[in-house]
Amino acid sequence: MQSTDKERIEIFKLKVIEWYKKYGDTYLPWRNTSDPWALLVAAFLLRKTTATQVVKVYEEFLRRFPTPESLLEADRYIVEELMRPLGIEHQRSRHLKELAEHIVRRFGSKVPCDKEKLKELPGVGDYVASEVLLGACGKPEPLLDRNMIRVIERVFGVKSAKKRPHTDPNMWSFAKMLVPNNLEEARIFNYGVLDFARKICTAKNPKCIKCPIRDICCYYMLVANPKP
Ligand code: SF4
C-alpha cells in the first residue's frame, strides 16, 4: 500500500529518531550543551578535522576560555598551542578570536538568538546559525548541509534546482517542514539525520539493505530495488 506524503514524513521522523537513539553519536559533548558560545566554538573547531580529534580539545578549550571575553583577552600563542592537535592552528585561532571580538564589541558579549544577527558574525552562515538556534535558543531549525540534502533528495525524490542546494530557500523550507516542533525531538532528529547520512545513507554505496526507512524511500524504490 502506498503511504501518503504526510505519512511518509511522520514515518521518516520516527525512524530517524529511533535510529539515532540506538546508533547515533549521542556522546558528542556539543550535542549536550545549550551554551551558544560552546556551540560556536565546536562549529569552528570541527572545520577540516574529525569529531574524534575535536573531542580531545573542545572541553579543555572551554575550560580555559569559557566566554568570548576570556578568548579575546588570551594570548594568541596560548590559543594556538591548545589547537595544535587539530592543525591549521594559526588560522583557527585567528578566526575564533575574530568571532569573540565581534560578539563582545557588536553584541555586548551575548550571542544573539536571531538568525540574521548570527550571520553577521564572521565565519557564521546559515548552517552554524541554525546550530545555535536549535541548540541554544529553543528554535527547532533544520541543520541543512550536504548530508541532510542527500538524504532528503533520496527519500522524498526532490531535487534542488540550484547548483549549491544548501543555499536554496526551497530546500530550507522543505527541511524545516520535516523537523519536529518539540525541541528535544528536533535536536535528536537533526543529529540523527546527520549521523544516518554518514553511516547508512552514504554518498557512495548507500547501505539500503540495512536501512530502516527503505520502505518509504524513493531512491530505494526507483533505483536500488526497482520493481520489474
Ligand atoms: Fe538512503 Fe538507501 Fe536508506 Fe534510501 S534506502 S534512505 S537511499 S540508505
Side-chain angles (χ1 to χ4, degrees), residues 96-107:
L96 270 161
K97 273 186 161 283
E98 282 167 7
L99 174 74
E101 184 171 11
H102 208 95
I103 295 169
V104 171
R105 310 245 188 272
R106 167 79 176 85
F107 297 116

Side-chain angles (χ1 to χ4, degrees), residues 9-39:
I9 288 171
E10 288 312 309
I11 294 169
F12 179 65
K13 289 185 203 181
L14 264 173
K15 294 278 182 188
V16 167
I17 288 172
E18 268 175 27
W19 181 89
Y20 181 71
K21 287 178 179 170
K22 275 193 198 156
Y23 306 110
D25 293 341
T26 53
Y27 65 90
L28 294 173
W30 48 88
R31 290 185 176 177
N32 297 296
T33 180
S34 55
D35 174 356
W37 172 238
L39 287 161

Side-chain angles (χ1 to χ4, degrees), residues 154-155 196 200-201 206-208 211 213-214 217 219-220:
R154 285 177 174 168
V155 174
F196 179 78
I200 302 287
C201 195
K207 300 172 182 62
C208 300
C211 175
I213 53 175
R214 67 183 187 192
C217 175
Y219 178 92
Y220 184 70

